[in-house]
Amino acid sequence: AQSVAQPEDQVNVAEGNPLTVKCTYSVSGNPYLFWYVQYPNRGLQFLLKYITGDNLVKGSYGFEAEFNKSQTSFHLKKPSALVSDSALYFCAVGRGNNRLAFGKGNQVVVIP
Amino acid sequence: GAGVSQSPSNKVTEKGKDVELRCDPISGHTALYWYRQSLGQGLEFLIYFQGNSAPDKSGLPSDRFSAERTGGSVSTLTIQRTQQEDSAVYLCASSLDNSLYNEQFFGPGTRLTVL
């Protein structure tokens, strides 16, 4: 079964420091990987996706993610975190018919 | 343009009552998805519609849950005889079609509380 794992519950980072949110995947076949962000009391917003091509994917709000096949990882990164990046981040893998299987989410807290 | 909208934004109901949750997808999007976000289960897929094809109901947790999509647009998720464990945020998403190249756009969700 296609699945992703987000091993950390919460990530704390000081404003201006690099931010990394970890995700590992387990799929049969080619992986289709996504990152979404959820701000308080709002729906999920798409950040970026990996379907094929370059392993480094650039997305919205300065985020990027690196697809690593040997480590089965798709970590989300931002070089310099902002307080406004504080939110819940979900990694997801696409299954048939574009159904998404989500990880449990990571709460990111950016400390001023 | 308008995004995915859901109504109501909040719903409080008593155990045993039926509820209907509504989703208006982005115009022109043929694929529509329902997900449930709860504390214990994270985000889980419920049901999927693509055009006029039969829906994929593989994620529905019990036969108390059903959904329909009228005219290929608006969708209604119905929960019969609600239970306390149904309390969650129900999210709707739409995409241009069911290709993995097309991102899903999510609505703000309906927060359901079953007393």
Side-chain angles (χ1 to χ4, degrees):
Chain A
Q2 321 283 62
S3 65
V4 292
Q6 295 180 250
E8 301 163 317
D9 289 331
Q10 182 164 312
V11 176
N12 296 326
V13 61
E15 186 176 24
N17 281 5
L19 169 64
T20 298
V21 189
K22 296 180 180 178
C23 174
T24 57
Y25 65 87
S26 175
V27 304
S28 55
N30 294 323
Y32 300 89
L33 299 163
F34 303 79
W35 276 101
Y36 281 82
V37 61
Q38 186 177 35
Y39 297 101
N41 300 315
R42 297 181 65 179
L44 273 68
Q45 295 181 30
F46 171 79
L47 280 178
L48 49 80
K49 65 185 176 189
Y50 173 82
I51 304 295
T52 186
D54 290 341
N55 289 343
L56 185 63
V57 180
K58 294 190 181 296
S60 307
Y61 313 122
F63 283 93
E64 59 187 28
E66 184 171 9
F67 171 68
N68 188 318
K69 188 173 183 178
S70 63
Q71 297 184 5
T72 61
S73 67
F74 189 57
H75 301 333
L76 181 71
K77 300 180 181 181
K78 186 171 183 179
S80 178
L82 302 173
V83 172
S84 57
D85 293 328
S86 298
L88 192 56
Y89 290 80
F90 289 94
C91 181
V93 60
R95 304 183 294 168
N97 293 324
N98 204 8
R99 294 169 296 153
L100 296 177
F102 287 89
K104 63 180 175 61
N106 281 125
Q107 184 67 49
V108 169
V109 177
V110 181
I111 304 164
Chain B
V4 178
S5 61
Q6 293 186 245
S7 60
S9 56
N10 282 282
K11 176 72 177 177
V12 179
T13 190
E14 294 179 348
K15 178 181 174 180
K17 301 284 189 181
D18 298 351
V19 295
E20 285 188 352
L21 312 179
R22 177 187 168 105
C23 172
D24 282 88
I26 293 173
S27 177
H29 281 193
T30 63
L32 186 148
Y33 306 81
W34 283 97
Y35 296 88
R36 179 169 70 174
Q37 184 176 18
S38 54
L39 282 176
Q41 302 295 326
L43 259 167
E44 53 181 334
F45 163 79
L46 295 177
I47 188 169
Y48 151 75
F49 297 87
Q50 170 60 45
N52 295 320
S53 301
D56 176 353
K57 305 178 183 180
S58 61
L60 294 179
S62 78
D63 58 8
R64 296 186 295 105
F65 288 71
S66 63
E68 62 178 20
R69 188 179 185 191
T70 53
S73 180
V74 171
S75 177
T76 302
L77 177 69
T78 301
I79 309 174
Q80 295 178 310
R81 305 181 302 282
T82 52
Q83 303 295 312
Q84 288 182 331
E85 60 262 29
D86 299 335
S87 296
V89 176
Y90 290 82
L91 295 169
C92 175
S94 71
S95 64
L96 199 58
D97 58 29
N98 64 350
S99 166
L100 285 166
Y101 286 87
N102 293 314
E103 67 195 71
Q104 294 182 28
F105 294 84
F106 282 78
T110 294
R111 181 175 297 277
L112 174 66
T113 303
V114 182
L115 301 176

